[in-house]
Amino acid sequence: MGPAERRAARGAPVPGIGADLSGGSASATLAALLYLTLALLVGEAVRPVLRWVLARRAVDGGTADGAAAGSDAAETGSSPAEAPASGTPAAQATLVVEAPAPPSPATHPSRRLFVARAVGGAAAVAGLGTVGYGTYGVLRGPRVKRITVPLAKLPRSAHGFRIAVVSDIHLGPILGRAHTQRIVDTINRTQPDLIAVVGDLVDGTVADLGPAAEPLAGLTARHGAFFVTGNHEYFSGAAQWVDHVRELGLHPLENARVEMDGFDLAGVNDIAGESEGQGPDFERALGDRDRTRASVLLAHQPVVIDDAVAHGVDLQLSGHTHGGQLWPGNYLAELANPTVAGLERYGDTQLYVSRGAGAWGPPVRVGAPSDITVVQLASRQA
């Protein structure tokens, strides 16, 4: 199977990746239902154990009460169930009237109701609490993550060069201008040498979300800020967004390359652009470069790593996966992407995948916190 076939096989959207749901509130409700269901399933597994524990305590308590009654009877010299004299009316009544058997501790109605309510309440608290904390994590904004990546061909002069990588901001009805400003402020505090915005900036048109993106004009880095398209740009008018981010001071890399001090920086369009004749063109971006120089590639989807390896790329920076966004979505994301999050090596090429700075669909993240990553390049000659 060639690179193009692997891209097609892996590039299908998975939950948390690929297309927006109808409205943040509706998708947040789906997230809440997901975790309520998971919590209830756990509760069903715990329910028999809880009922057994309560029944055992009831049996132990009943045994202790019986032993105490027997002890009292021994002290008074009589039996706890001493019968009246034979032939008396009381004796005849005793033969006729029988006390009903008490319900089994394991099936006591009040005990079953208590267990059901306890399990349901705990599931509601766990499910809604998980979604609430996951929403808070998104609205709070991404945290900074730092990694060092050695590159064999990086000269000593570029040792320590820092690239702030941000992906999957997903501006939309919920994550708007304030979200953009938090991200810009967080990036600027890291004082990077270069900023890389690797796709899925928006979930809407320039007409609707242009003002929400305006804080990007405040990004500052010694070598500037660069942008490549993600699949969501092609759902939202990619050409208009490329023009708009250029007006905001970012440098779009549309299957293009620029020479930095010590390495080549290249960028390719997202594979979703193939439907518009604007897909990734690795030959145009990398075909004629000097391969003795180190190279860094910006590509939204990790699935193009085969092309990066074939063109001698040293480091590919990607996003798209959100790290799965909603556990256990990371297991589904693994089926569609070679790397879901973090740094991995493919031959002589290293691939780093950011979890992204926003959220798709429900504004919730569970088990996949958002991040902005500062990638520090290291020379092995230093």
Side-chain angles (χ1 to χ4, degrees):
M1 182 183 291
E5 290 80 4
R6 277 191 287 271
R7 285 204 305 271
R10 290 172 171 167
V14 297
I17 306 145
D20 198 9
L21 295 176
S22 57
S25 60
S27 52
T29 300
L30 290 178
L33 288 174
L34 167 65
Y35 288 104
L36 280 172
T37 301
L38 291 175
L40 285 171
L41 289 174
V42 173
E44 286 302 311
V46 172
R47 185 198 296 254
V49 177
L50 183 58
R51 287 174 60 181
W52 179 85
V53 170
L54 293 177
R56 186 61 182 264
R57 286 183 177 178
V59 170
D60 292 344
T63 302
D65 292 342
S71 175
D72 292 341
E75 291 177 1
T76 60
S78 62
S79 169
E82 184 176 348
S86 175
T88 67
Q92 296 174 358
T94 302
L95 295 175
V96 175
V97 179
E98 294 182 1
S104 167
T107 60
H108 198 289
S110 62
R111 189 168 296 113
R112 291 202 307 271
L113 182 61
F114 170 77
V115 170
R117 288 177 175 175
V119 169
V125 170
L128 297 178
T130 297
V131 172
Y133 184 75
T135 302
Y136 166 74
V138 172
L139 299 181
R140 175 195 61 196
R143 293 297 185 248
V144 175
K145 181 179 179 180
R146 300 176 185 271
I147 65 168
T148 299
V149 181
L151 300 181
K153 292 181 284 187
L154 189 74
R156 186 177 303 176
S157 62
H159 179 76
F161 192 99
R162 290 174 302 121
I163 304 173
V165 181
V166 59
S167 73
D168 301 279
I169 296 174
H170 285 287
L171 297 180
I174 296 177
L175 302 177
R177 187 184 181 98
H179 180 61
T180 311
Q181 190 62 60
R182 281 191 296 270
I183 289 170
V184 169
D185 293 342
T186 301
I187 291 174
N188 287 345
R189 282 195 295 268
T190 68
Q191 298 181 324
D193 298 304
L194 183 147
I195 299 166
V197 182
V198 289
D200 277 9
L201 171 64
V202 293
D203 282 316
T205 64
V206 173
D208 292 335
L209 297 175
E214 286 178 359
L216 294 174
L219 289 170
T220 57
R222 187 160 57 100
H223 293 280
F226 294 83
F227 170 81
V228 293
T229 55
N231 53 313
H232 281 242
E233 272 70 63
Y234 292 97
F235 307 149
S236 309
Q240 291 79 14
W241 274 112
V242 167
D243 291 340
H244 190 62
V245 298
R246 185 181 286 113
E247 293 170 359
L248 295 175
L250 281 71
H251 307 287
L253 290 175
E254 299 182 275
N255 298 322
R257 181 180 76 252
V258 293
E259 290 188 2
M260 310 300 295
D261 180 18
F263 66 95
D264 294 333
L265 179 71
V268 293
N269 296 344
D270 187 71
I271 58 178
E274 292 175 345
S275 61
E276 302 178 12
Q278 299 293 327
D281 189 336
F282 285 85
E283 194 62 28
R284 178 179 163 191
L286 297 162
D288 59 348
R289 77 177 191 88
D290 179 2
R291 290 204 178 193
T292 64
R293 287 172 54 85
S295 59
V296 176
L297 173 69
L298 310 183
H300 177 63
Q301 298 199 39
V303 295
V304 301
I305 185 62
D306 294 319
D307 298 282
V309 172
H311 286 82
V313 169
D314 296 283
L315 173 64
Q316 176 180 319
L317 301 175
S318 298
H320 182 65
T321 69
H322 298 204
Q325 184 169 325
L326 295 173
W327 183 91
N330 54 305
Y331 297 112
L332 296 177
E334 288 175 358
L335 301 176
N337 297 276
T339 296
V340 173
L343 183 68
E344 292 187 352
R345 177 177 288 276
Y346 295 84
D348 293 330
T349 302
Q350 297 180 80
L351 169 63
Y352 179 76
V353 180
S354 168
R355 291 190 178 96
W360 165 87
V364 183
R365 282 177 171 265
V366 176
S370 57
D371 69 65
I372 292 168
T373 305
V374 176
V375 177
Q376 180 168 299
L377 305 182
S379 171
R380 292 178 177 172
Q381 303 173 23

